[in-house]
């Protein structure tokens, strides 16, 4: 593993757009060019050299040492290689990723993995609202890839998500899977109020639901083979990071019956 | 040449390039996975009349299947991928979907794909739902015992081999059958091959063509013991029966491996059971792309 390390010199005093700092884009650039990349979002036009001390040689990995909740768009449009954040990340980390791996060793802000179509996003801490969600102008939310959040997730996780898998080790906030069109959200410790509001398809899996919407219908307890397939698939991709395998036995609620009702909330308790 | 008292003809088996696909069937127990697999393999002995040659490759342990349940891998061989697709659709739809507790997944990895759950999913009448995991897409079709999970497509290869064979000749029909059974059981341990005929054994070897218009194949009179004297027979005076084992494989090497295993079993056990000679079927080497010389496969 080789690559450039961007050491934050001091806590940034404005929001920074770090979308340029991905291995594929930096590989062809000389170090002087890298230092001149604009990352500021104000009239000051802060550059990489103003904000970071850069070390190492361009390779398949980019490391951002020293995190901040003002570091936005980290690993945006990443298609190969690895981006590591040794600290917190701001908004839209991993936005529109198509491949590769983003590893955030702190917390992530809102819109983590919005518009992602492939790749792997790992967050050691918690993440904000709208993980894998739909940003204004997007046709839908996440459409592929895997997101794993070791902590809690904010509200509206997977809003209008179409495909892919979001795993939350702890708990999702309110309205997880809102307007969901497909894919899977697996919150190991369950969901906050009103998950799946206006969902059409897709699966929400969790220990419990704080408040079930009246537009979800109880279909009883079932042994679902597809959950075994899901568990084995995640084990093959995530190894030790995979959630504990499901036996398949769950209580299934179908909904949102206010739409076409092909979605489901599966209670593992 | 002779081996353990059994004459081995200096000849070769002639086999053909075919297309092949496969599925993995799982169920709550191996018994029920096998039941679905056996049902799906029915009427799948020869492309001449069945549309596909179908058989069980091997049983799979729970840790070898996509859902962690016991499974069985079934392989299907046909003339082209287009010919295989309707066979797969009908056999999965009628024989696997209907079997209690079953699920069906891709059994061959290849860039070229043909529909597996594409047709059977419509049995769900609009209640079916998709689930994409990585590169695979699965359909969940509601049925009366829960859900039938079926992968959308499976791989198909166009460089498979059909028609590898061994002929077992002897003077004791029951002993020949027992020897052939043992050889088929041994082939069962070889991966990526099937023996599509009943119990893996053929008693009606064929020749190309017929005196009757429209018949593409007819009885191999040179190997029929009751015709000895009437036709130019290939049989010695002591031969009372001939049984054939036909082998289809995903690769030429797999077919060769299976023939090796069959030959070893026949030579090791056949002498005491009335096997006097081993041969192979060919068409003079002009029709098939693959030739397997018996002397090169001997143990």
């Amino acid at each position: 593993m080789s690559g450039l390390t961007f050491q934050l010199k001091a806590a940034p005093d404005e929001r920074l757009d770090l979308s340029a700092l991905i291995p594929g884009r930096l590989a062809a650039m000389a170090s002087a060019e890298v230092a001149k990349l604009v990352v500021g979002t104000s009239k000051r036009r802060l550059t990489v050299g103003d904000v970071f001390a850069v070390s190492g040689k361009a390779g398949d990995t980019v490391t951002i040492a020293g995190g901040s909740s003002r570091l936005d768009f980290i690993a945006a449009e990443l298609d190969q290689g690895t981006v590591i954040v040794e600290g917190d990340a701001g908004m839209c980390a991993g936005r529109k990723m198509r491949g590769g791996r983003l590893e955030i060793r702190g917390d992530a802000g809102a819109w983590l993995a919005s518009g992602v179509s492939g790749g792997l996003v790992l967050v050691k801490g918690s993440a904000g609202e709208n993980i894998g969600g739909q940003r204004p102008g997007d046709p839908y939310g996440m459409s592929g890839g895997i997101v794993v959040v070791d902590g809690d997730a904010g509200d509206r996780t997977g809003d209008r998500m179409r495909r892919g898998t979001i795993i939350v080790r702890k708990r999702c906030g309110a309205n997880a899977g809102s307007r969901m069109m497909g894919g899977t959200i697996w919150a190991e410790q369950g969901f906050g109020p009103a998950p799946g509001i206006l969902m059409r398809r897709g699966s929400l899996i969790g220990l419990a639901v704080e408040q079930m919407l009246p537009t979800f219908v109880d279909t009883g307890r079932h042994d679902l083979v597809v959950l075994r397939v899901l568990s084995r698939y995640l084990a093959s991709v995530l190894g030790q990071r995979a959630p504990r395998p499901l036996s398949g036995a769950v209580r299934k609620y179908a909904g949102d019956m206010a739409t076409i009702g092909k979605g489901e909330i599966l209670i593992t308790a | 040449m002779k081996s353990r008292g059994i004459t081995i003809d200096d000849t070769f088996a002639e086999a053909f390039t075919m297309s092949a696909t496969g599925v993995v069937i799982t169920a709550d127990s191996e018994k029920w996975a096998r039941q679905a697999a056996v049902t799906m393999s029915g009427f799948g002995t020869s492309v001449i009349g069945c549309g596909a040659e179908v058989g069980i490759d091997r049983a799979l342990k729970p840790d070898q299947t996509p859902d962690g349940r016991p499974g069985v891998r079934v392989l299907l061989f046909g003339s082209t991928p287009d010919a295989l697709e309707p066979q797969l659709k009908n056999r999965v739809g009628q024989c696997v979907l209907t079997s209690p507790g079953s699920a069906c997944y891709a059994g061959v990895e290849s860039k070229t794909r043909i529909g597996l759950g594409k047709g059977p999913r419509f049995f769900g009448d609009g209640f079916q739902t998709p689930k994409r995991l990585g590169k695979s897409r699965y359909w969940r079709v509601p049925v009366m015992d829960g859900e039938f999970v079926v992968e959308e497509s499976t791989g198909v290869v166009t460089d498979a081999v059909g028609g590898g064979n061994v002929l077992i000749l002897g003077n004791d029909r029951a002993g020949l059958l027992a020897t052939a059974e043992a050889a088929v059981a041994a082939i069962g341990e070889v991966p990526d091959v099937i023996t599509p005929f009943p119990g893996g054994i053929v008693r009606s070897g064929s020749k190309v063509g017929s005196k009757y218009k429209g018949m593409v194949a007819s009885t191999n009179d040179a190997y029929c013991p009751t015709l000895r004297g009437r036709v130019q027979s290939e049989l010695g005076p002591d031969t009372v029966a001939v049984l054939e084992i036909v082998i289809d494989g995903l690769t030429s090497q797999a077919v060769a491996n299976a023939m090796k295993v069959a030959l070893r079993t026949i030579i090791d056990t056949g002498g005491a059971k009335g096997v006097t000679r081993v041969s192979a079927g060919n068409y003079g080497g002009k029709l098939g792309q693959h030739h397997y010389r018996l002397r090169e496969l001997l143990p």
Side-chain angles (χ1 to χ4, degrees):
Chain A
M1 193 170 76
S2 64
L4 291 167
T5 298
F6 296 81
Q7 176 71 53
L8 203 57
K9 290 177 180 173
D13 53 6
E14 64 178 80
R15 301 203 77 88
L16 303 179
D17 177 349
L18 302 191
S19 57
L21 307 186
I22 57 174
R25 210 172 292 175
L26 297 175
M29 299 175 84
S31 53
E33 286 178 286
V34 172
K36 285 181 190 165
L37 286 169
V38 174
V39 292
T41 54
S42 69
K43 285 194 288 187
R44 295 191 297 163
R45 295 180 63 77
L46 289 173
T47 63
V48 165
D50 298 330
V51 181
F52 296 104
V54 184
S55 61
K57 197 176 167 187
D60 59 0
T61 301
V62 164
T63 303
I64 297 166
S68 163
S69 60
R70 284 182 159 175
L71 305 183
D72 298 337
F73 294 100
I74 292 172
E77 299 193 31
L78 182 72
D79 57 354
Q80 59 180 346
T82 301
V83 175
I84 298 169
V85 186
E86 293 177 343
D88 295 344
M91 286 173 52
C92 295
R95 164 118 178 111
K96 291 199 170 178
M97 258 176 72
R98 298 188 296 278
R101 177 185 173 105
L102 167 61
E103 199 173 324
I104 299 169
R105 294 177 180 165
D107 294 336
W111 306 105
L112 171 74
S114 67
V116 158
S117 58
L120 179 61
V121 177
L122 304 168
V123 179
K124 190 77 186 157
S126 294
E129 296 82 22
N130 282 288
I131 300 172
Q134 180 194 28
R135 294 268 294 164
D138 290 351
Y140 35 73
M142 181 172 171
S143 63
I146 300 177
V147 178
V148 182
V149 177
D150 286 350
D152 293 310
D155 296 346
R156 294 180 79 102
T157 296
D159 177 47
R160 210 163 164 79
M161 170 181 181
R162 196 175 183 196
R163 281 189 289 269
T165 306
I166 298 173
I167 295 162
V168 178
R169 296 264 179 209
K170 291 189 177 170
R171 196 167 176 276
C172 278
N175 302 132
S178 53
R179 307 187 298 163
M180 196 170 173
M181 299 161 74
T184 305
I185 302 174
W186 185 345
E188 286 196 276
Q189 293 184 16
F191 297 97
I197 185 165
L198 294 178
M199 79 186 289
R200 295 170 67 82
R201 297 183 185 82
S203 306
L204 303 180
I205 306 166
L207 188 69
V209 168
E210 189 177 317
Q211 179 212 331
M212 187 73 76
L213 284 166
T215 46
F216 277 76
V217 292
D218 185 356
T219 73
R221 280 192 75 77
H222 304 284
D223 184 2
L224 298 178
V225 169
V226 76
L227 294 183
R228 297 167 189 257
V229 180
L230 174 68
S231 290
R232 288 181 72 82
Y233 164 71
L234 292 175
S236 71
V237 176
L238 298 175
Q240 301 260 330
R241 285 180 175 268
R244 214 173 66 184
L246 287 171
S247 67
V250 290
R251 185 162 209 98
K252 174 175 167 169
Y253 291 82
D256 185 340
M257 301 306 290
T259 69
I260 60 174
K262 285 189 170 187
E264 62 188 358
I265 298 176
L266 306 174
I267 304 299
T268 58
Chain B
M1 81 193 82
K2 284 211 170 209
S3 182
R4 291 193 159 196
I6 297 172
T7 301
I8 313 294
D9 285 2
D10 185 12
T11 187
F12 60 90
E14 187 172 354
F16 300 85
T17 299
M18 294 184 85
S19 295
T21 186
V23 296
V24 170
I25 299 170
T26 65
D28 297 324
S29 63
E30 187 187 325
K31 175 190 164 186
W32 278 101
R34 190 169 287 276
Q35 182 62 63
V38 167
T39 310
M40 180 188 175
S41 305
F43 190 59
T45 58
S46 167
V47 283
I48 295 172
C50 306
E53 299 179 7
V54 191
I56 291 173
D57 171 17
R58 63 184 188 272
L60 300 171
K61 292 179 183 153
D63 62 359
Q64 296 174 306
T65 65
D67 61 20
R69 302 188 301 166
V72 170
R73 187 194 197 202
V74 175
L75 298 179
L76 298 89
F77 293 77
S79 48
T80 63
D82 286 347
L84 277 171
E85 190 155 13
Q87 287 288 329
L88 189 62
K89 175 186 163 188
N90 289 338
R91 287 168 188 270
V92 169
Q94 299 303 311
C95 308
V96 185
L97 181 151
T98 54
S99 183
S102 69
C104 193
Y105 309 100
V108 166
E109 279 313 310
S110 169
K111 272 190 177 175
T112 313
R113 313 286 290 181
I114 57 173
L116 171 56
K118 269 184 184 172
R121 76 180 166 102
F122 289 111
F123 184 73
D125 198 26
F127 295 104
Q128 71 275 19
T129 53
K131 179 65 70 186
R132 182 180 281 277
L133 299 172
K135 289 179 181 171
S136 300
R137 189 184 202 203
Y138 302 92
W139 284 99
R140 301 164 59 188
V141 182
V143 285
M144 293 196 301
D145 74 348
E147 286 181 346
F148 173 56
V149 175
V150 59
E151 199 165 341
E152 178 158 275
S153 64
T154 182
V156 61
V157 294
T158 53
D159 56 354
V161 177
N165 66 79
V166 177
L167 293 168
I168 311 169
L169 301 81
N171 54 26
D172 178 350
R173 202 164 66 86
L176 281 189
L177 185 56
T179 306
E181 282 184 73
V184 169
I187 291 171
E189 301 298 315
V190 178
D192 298 341
V193 296
I194 61 165
T195 49
F197 282 91
I201 304 164
V202 197
R203 63 94 171 261
S204 58
S206 58
K207 67 176 184 291
V208 177
S210 162
K211 70 181 279 187
Y212 299 109
K213 195 177 168 187
M215 289 278 284
V216 293
S218 61
T219 192
N220 194 356
D221 48 68
Y223 282 86
C224 293
T226 59
L227 295 180
R228 188 168 31 217
R230 289 193 60 194
V231 299
Q232 192 164 353
S233 180
E234 291 285 339
L235 307 180
D238 63 335
T239 301
V240 298
V242 182
L243 293 177
E244 182 177 4
I245 298 171
V246 173
I247 300 158
D248 294 344
L250 289 181
T251 62
S252 182
Q253 187 58 52
V255 173
N257 292 343
M259 284 183 64
K260 268 186 199 173
V261 165
L263 285 170
R264 190 193 309 140
T265 307
I266 295 162
I267 290 166
D268 286 351
T269 65
K273 292 178 180 163
V275 175
T276 57
R277 187 178 148 202
V278 175
S279 190
N282 63 61
Y283 309 94
K286 291 178 184 168
L287 294 180
Q289 298 82 0
H290 304 272
H291 300 164
Y292 301 93
R293 293 213 153 268
L294 294 185
R295 60 182 158 80
E296 292 169 4
L297 300 173
L298 285 175

